[in-house]
Amino acid sequence: MSVEVLDALDREILDVVQKEIPLVAQPFKVIAEQIGTTEDILLERLHKMKGDTIRQTSAIFDTKALGYKSSLVAARITPEKLDERAKVFNQHPGITHNYKRNHDYNLWFTIAVPPNSRFGLEKTVDILGELAEVESIRILPTLKLFKIGVQLDVKKEAAAADKAAPTYSEEMRQAAMQIPVNDQDIAVILELQKDLPFIKRPFDAWAENINMTPDELFAHAQKLVDSGKMRRFSAVLNHRKAGFRANGMGVWNVPVEKTDEIGMKMGSFRAVSHCYLRPTYPDWKYNIFTMVHGRDLEECESILQAIEDETGITDRITLYSTKEYKKTRVSYFTPEIYEWEAEVAERLGL
């Protein structure tokens, strides 16, 4: 169901479910009462949008808080070989987002590896670069988190300069990283990261899978939220199907002494879904990254211009994704990454 056929109720539903789905026995009954419809009608609408406008519905965890190492990576690849080489990166289970972007560094992906990875993050990126025969590759980890959390304006209520305070901070992440993950946490995470079925009591089977009552599952999930390891439980929308056909990664050259001040300002814009401080290189001077989503390029540019006007930072470029090679979610504590590492180690004699 694309944006052209979404009516007012669909938009209301999408607005709510992308923010949070309550961790209760009958979450859709609660949401239906909240928006003034019935549970049956809500479930019918959700089923129609599932796999189209709604990409996935599951827990959203903080990768680093679970002990994983992660980073954004930029690669420069001969343009005529880009499509073929992108497949090499897609084979790694920890690569969740992989895009062609309009820059000399033309392939941009995110990668996460588990705490007991055979290679670790940096060596994994090096191996992938060698396998794909890249011209250059740059690892761009988060040095400081200013904002994370996609909230698409599906109801068309926001202006470019509207503000929305970040709900998850660098301080919360650092505190969460100090708390170890135990076996019961992992059992709960393995269930909560699954795609939620749109039925009246969707959590019952998950609780049964790990010998818990639903209330015990909800209590443990709340513990993960309180500790900062889980940000929320919500739907992730297919941006393009929801009408947001452009995503612009605005990258800014901010004086080092102003990065904290400017990063907080940039992250305060409602339309900014991600805002990070990242390292620079001799051939890459941009240190603050802001991700914005718009219905078209013009909307993205109006948001970035509003940020420029407020912060006074004018040295920036915008990298637009021109092709999506992969978009999925990190699957935590599952065997696929270890299998990839074992296969590559054997093939390369590592």
Side-chain angles (χ1 to χ4, degrees):
M1 181 182 292
S2 63
V3 65
E4 289 79 6
V5 293
L6 294 175
D7 63 17
L9 180 56
D10 292 326
R11 294 178 188 277
E12 186 70 36
I13 291 168
L14 292 174
D15 187 62
V16 171
V17 299
Q18 71 168 329
K19 291 175 181 174
E20 187 169 25
I21 291 174
L23 290 165
V24 296
Q26 291 184 261
F28 303 116
K29 182 178 181 181
V30 173
I31 294 172
E33 291 171 353
Q34 178 183 340
I35 63 177
T37 189
T38 68
E39 185 180 29
D40 287 337
I41 290 175
L42 173 61
L43 287 168
E44 180 185 359
R45 295 293 185 107
L46 289 170
H47 274 291
K48 286 182 179 177
M49 292 187 282
K50 184 178 177 67
D52 188 66
T53 315
I54 297 175
R55 191 185 290 270
Q56 184 173 337
T57 306
S58 62
I60 297 176
F61 296 101
D62 185 281
T63 299
K64 291 189 175 181
L66 296 184
Y68 278 61
K69 304 293 184 184
S70 64
S71 186
L72 176 69
V73 180
R76 186 169 66 237
I77 299 171
T78 304
E80 57 268 22
K81 297 179 180 179
L82 183 60
D83 287 356
E84 187 63 31
R85 300 292 165 79
K87 297 175 184 177
V88 174
F89 294 97
N90 283 356
Q91 289 171 5
H92 190 283
I95 290 179
T96 54
H97 295 63
N98 190 10
Y99 294 102
K100 177 182 179 181
R101 292 191 182 274
N102 60 323
H103 190 268
D104 286 345
Y105 279 97
N106 47 6
L107 190 76
W108 293 76
F109 61 89
T110 57
I111 183 170
V113 300
N116 54 347
S117 163
R118 177 190 299 230
F119 302 132
L121 179 63
E122 290 79 9
K123 185 170 178 59
T124 298
V125 171
D126 287 343
I127 290 170
L128 285 164
E130 291 172 12
L131 290 173
E133 299 177 355
V134 302
E135 295 177 359
S136 180
I137 197 160
R138 293 282 181 257
I139 187 165
L140 295 160
T142 299
L143 301 179
K144 186 164 186 178
L145 162 69
F146 297 113
K147 185 179 186 180
I148 184 170
V150 180
Q151 297 286 325
L152 298 178
D153 178 29
V154 292
K155 293 165 67 177
K156 299 184 179 180
E157 295 177 332
D162 282 0
K163 302 298 195 299
T167 57
Y168 192 78
S169 67
E170 178 67 25
E171 291 71 25
M172 293 169 70
R173 168 177 277 177
Q174 292 299 323
M177 289 170 66
Q178 304 307 310
I179 303 170
V181 177
N182 60 39
D183 290 344
Q184 191 174 45
D185 292 333
I186 292 173
V188 171
I189 290 165
L190 286 169
E191 295 301 318
L192 293 180
Q193 70 182 353
K194 294 177 179 176
D195 195 13
L196 190 72
F198 291 147
I199 57 177
K200 291 189 176 181
R201 297 183 64 92
F203 295 107
D204 286 3
W206 290 4
E208 185 177 350
N209 288 344
I210 49 177
N211 298 313
M212 284 184 171
T213 67
D215 285 344
E216 288 171 337
L217 176 64
F218 302 143
H220 201 103
Q222 187 59 49
K223 187 181 97 171
L224 293 171
V225 172
D226 293 342
S227 70
K229 294 189 179 300
M230 175 175 157
R231 300 207 311 273
R232 67 183 189 278
F233 194 101
S234 66
V236 174
L237 307 187
N238 183 323
H239 297 164
R240 291 183 180 275
K241 294 296 182 67
F244 292 79
R245 295 185 175 87
N247 73 76
M249 188 165 66
V251 294
W252 311 75
N253 180 15
V254 178
V256 173
E257 68 276 10
K258 291 186 175 182
T259 53
D260 280 1
E261 173 196 350
I262 297 299
M264 293 300 293
K265 281 186 179 180
M266 290 181 173
S268 72
F269 281 75
R270 173 176 171 169
V272 171
S273 61
H274 301 72
C275 184
Y276 302 112
L277 176 68
R278 299 191 187 278
T280 58
Y281 291 91
D283 59 351
W284 184 262
K285 64 180 178 178
Y286 305 102
N287 54 359
I288 291 188
F289 287 59
T290 53
M291 180 61 71
V292 299
H293 301 273
R295 291 168 183 83
D296 49 36
L297 299 184
E298 183 180 1
E299 184 174 359
C300 288
E301 284 299 322
S302 69
I303 296 163
L304 293 165
Q305 187 61 51
I307 295 172
E308 183 176 312
D309 293 343
E310 180 158 326
T311 62
I313 304 298
T314 59
D315 189 0
R316 57 109 172 167
I317 58 173
T318 308
L319 279 63
Y320 287 101
S321 65
T322 56
K323 188 168 186 176
E324 179 184 292
Y325 292 114
K326 187 178 184 181
K327 187 170 184 181
T328 183
R329 298 286 291 279
V330 180
S331 184
Y332 300 102
F333 306 111
T334 54
E336 293 85 4
I337 285 182
Y338 308 112
E339 293 166 357
W340 180 91
E341 290 184 338
E343 189 274 328
V344 166
E346 182 178 0
R347 176 156 44 110
L348 301 181
L350 299 174

